[in-house]
Amino acid sequence: MADLAEFERQRKRLWGIAYRITGSVADAEDAVQETWLRWQQLPDGEADNPRAYLTTVVSRLCYDQLGSARARRESYVGPWLPEPMVTESGPEDRVTLDESVGLAMLTVLERLTPAERTAFILHDVFAVPFKEIAEVVGRTPDSVRQLASRARHRVRDEAPRRSVDRGEHRRAVDAFLTAVLGGDFDGLLEILDPDVVWRSDSGGNVTSARLPVIGGTKAVRYARRFMRDFDPETMHALVRDVNGSPGVLMVDPVGRQSAVFGFNVHGGLITMIDLVVNPEKLRHLDLEGF
């Protein structure tokens, strides 16, 4: 049987690869579990390079899964957003998550082909050699190099501008939360970019906007309507890291409503709001104790 300790050393990295490729916590966990089962069945000494072997296995599983996932997302009701990760992570994790796992970035990656997405994540994020990626996507190394290059250009062109100053980002999020909790919608308008885009992912399971809300005034009106679903007497709202950057978690244990907000901030203003209210995408979160 293959070495359990070696797999555990690689587990966090494998999960990171799987989540970035699939955008789904559940699918990432399934892929890592299947990788573990295959690793268990591998005879001792079979893998000369365990890290490369495990990376190839988990990446192939996720790459194969992307085709069916894309078909499901084409029939999804309303905007599709990744399943959010909500943490109280330390500085080391933040460095790992900020650039490659933000909700806005993962949404851009959705526009790539499965091969482009896999090549970009493996090469540009995890520094996997093109030769190894070729085994995952069934292409030549030169073809994989071209895939990664095309993906890199699309990501650079389509990813929204964002602040790299965590303090600036946090101040905007704090101001958003203060405004919506206090019903200060004039104050909310002041911290929103005039062209802000608000996307809401409900999957049709709860009431939400089925098209992106664009513009500060429309976003404020939508925020006012959205907050009516939460009872101010029983709800809890906290600033938490959402996919590596400050965001907001709202939970109303009485009304059984939950919401996760991710934000994109540029120039001190909120330029994008990604709201996940689909209960199926929040099942993995530990919401007990609220």
Side-chain angles (χ1 to χ4, degrees), residues 215-269:
T217 302
K218 291 182 179 179
V220 167
R221 287 202 296 264
Y222 183 65
R224 190 191 301 270
R225 291 197 301 271
F226 174 78
M227 291 305 296
R228 291 173 186 159
D229 293 335
F230 287 83
D231 186 339
E233 299 297 324
T234 59
M235 72 167 293
H236 301 271
L238 304 167
V239 175
R240 289 288 185 266
D241 265 18
V242 175
N243 287 58
S245 299
V248 169
L249 169 65
M250 288 187 180
V251 180
D252 184 347
V254 176
R256 298 187 179 277
Q257 294 271 18
S258 301
V260 173
F261 290 82
F263 300 91
N264 205 76
V265 176
H266 180 71
L269 299 176

Side-chain angles (χ1 to χ4, degrees), residues 27-103:
D27 289 344
E29 291 174 349
D30 287 347
V32 172
Q33 179 63 20
E34 177 61 25
T35 302
W36 160 241
L37 294 175
R38 296 189 185 191
W39 179 248
Q40 278 187 306
Q41 296 167 3
L42 197 68
D44 288 339
E46 184 73 16
D48 295 334
N49 186 335
R51 180 184 175 96
Y53 173 85
L54 291 168
T55 296
T56 298
V57 171
V58 78
S59 301
R60 183 70 201 191
L61 288 168
C62 293
Y63 174 67
D64 289 343
Q65 191 270 345
L66 272 184
S68 59
R70 285 169 69 91
R72 293 197 305 271
R73 290 166 193 173
E74 287 176 359
S75 61
Y76 194 79
V77 177
W80 183 94
L81 295 172
E83 294 178 13
M85 295 189 299
V86 181
T87 64
E88 294 183 82
S89 55
E92 181 178 349
D93 284 335
R94 288 172 185 154
V95 170
T96 303
L97 295 174
D98 281 356
E99 291 298 326
S100 62
V101 135
L103 293 179

Side-chain angles (χ1 to χ4, degrees), residues 200-216:
S200 300
D201 180 334
S202 70
N205 292 311
V206 297
T207 302
S208 72
R210 296 194 176 186
L211 294 173
V213 176
I214 301 174

Side-chain angles (χ1 to χ4, degrees), residues 14-27:
L14 297 175
W15 194 93
I17 290 171
Y19 177 72
R20 287 165 174 83
I21 293 178
T22 64
S24 165
V25 172
D27 289 344

Side-chain angles (χ1 to χ4, degrees), residues 64-222:
D64 289 343
Q65 191 270 345
L66 272 184
S68 59
R70 285 169 69 91
R72 293 197 305 271
R73 290 166 193 173
E74 287 176 359
S75 61
Y76 194 79
V77 177
W80 183 94
L81 295 172
E83 294 178 13
M85 295 189 299
V86 181
T87 64
E88 294 183 82
S89 55
E92 181 178 349
D93 284 335
R94 288 172 185 154
V95 170
T96 303
L97 295 174
D98 281 356
E99 291 298 326
S100 62
V101 135
L103 293 179
M105 174 64 80
L106 289 175
T107 304
V108 170
L109 295 182
E110 279 293 304
R111 302 168 196 158
L112 305 178
T113 67
E116 288 173 340
R117 180 172 184 162
T118 303
F120 173 78
I121 290 167
L122 290 178
H123 182 264
D124 285 43
V125 179
F126 290 95
V128 177
F130 290 125
K131 183 178 180 180
E132 293 179 22
I133 301 172
E135 298 179 21
V136 174
V137 299
R139 310 285 183 92
T140 66
D142 284 344
S143 176
V144 170
R145 187 187 302 274
Q146 293 173 5
L147 288 171
S149 177
R150 285 202 303 270
R152 192 177 307 120
H153 282 91
R154 288 197 65 183
V155 168
R156 184 181 61 201
D157 293 342
E158 298 180 24
R161 294 179 299 172
R162 59 186 294 277
S163 172
V164 296
D165 184 332
R166 185 177 177 87
E168 176 186 331
H169 188 113
R170 175 61 188 261
R171 286 189 293 274
V173 172
D174 286 341
F176 173 91
L177 187 56
T178 299
V180 296
L181 292 182
D184 180 11
F185 294 103
D186 289 335
L188 176 59
L189 186 61
E190 293 179 1
I191 62 166
L192 298 179
D193 185 273
D195 297 318
V196 63
V197 177
W198 184 325
R199 299 177 294 196
S200 300
D201 180 334
S202 70
N205 292 311
V206 297
T207 302
S208 72
R210 296 194 176 186
L211 294 173
V213 176
I214 301 174
T217 302
K218 291 182 179 179
V220 167
R221 287 202 296 264
Y222 183 65

